[in-house]
Amino acid sequence: MDWTAKEQNGKITVTVDRPLDSSGLWRAYAVGPGGSRCLLGTLTPGGGRLTLRRVLSVDGLRQRGCYPIVSVEAALAHSFAPAPPLPGWSDPPRQLPWPDDLLAAAYAAAPKPRYRSAADGFSLAFPCRTDSPFPMLPVFCFARCACLHGQLFWLFSFDQEGMPRFPAHNSGEL
């Protein structure tokens, strides 16, 4: 990855250039002398490369602890790769038994989950992501976070009619 930072009249023009990478969305960060990071933005494709050009104020960078810029880092912010397979989980069936339009709409807007059937209902597992909206937001209080095969997932449990179930807790305080 190549980058430049040119200062003029209280402004800094930062350019970032890296090879085209179709694995996902890449973000660039300016790094200050103490290690503080400032988001520059998402690199965009063009001419067979991923590039970014930003004009920032010196004062703004100073306030964030990123002046002078000592380096620029690029990080994969969102992978285009599908969620890894989970043993015992599968793709969800085409139709799920949602009891109302609110749940149906929340499910339709969510990223594709992993699915596990049970005799008394089903469960959905969505990868935990900090860079995208929470899945199934109208029923967020029914989710629990769990580590499945080394990756964090939001787990939702539903009965046979598609009604959400509260997660079981093992805390003696509840």
Side-chain angles (χ1 to χ4, degrees), residues 45-96:
R49 308 282 298 165
L50 291 173
T51 60
L52 172 81
R53 182 178 181 275
R54 290 289 181 267
V55 178
L56 307 161
S57 74
V58 169
D59 290 339
L61 286 170
R62 224 182 239 121
Q63 290 173 353
R64 291 178 176 87
C66 291
Y67 182 81
I69 297 173
V70 296
S71 67
V72 172
E73 298 174 352
L76 187 62
H78 176 75
S79 173
F80 294 150
L86 292 174
W89 294 77
S90 64
D91 288 336
R94 188 173 297 270
Q95 294 292 323
L96 289 172

Side-chain angles (χ1 to χ4, degrees), residues 90-111:
S90 64
D91 288 336
R94 188 173 297 270
Q95 294 292 323
L96 289 172
W98 301 120
D100 60 39
D101 291 341
L102 182 67
L103 279 175
Y107 177 73

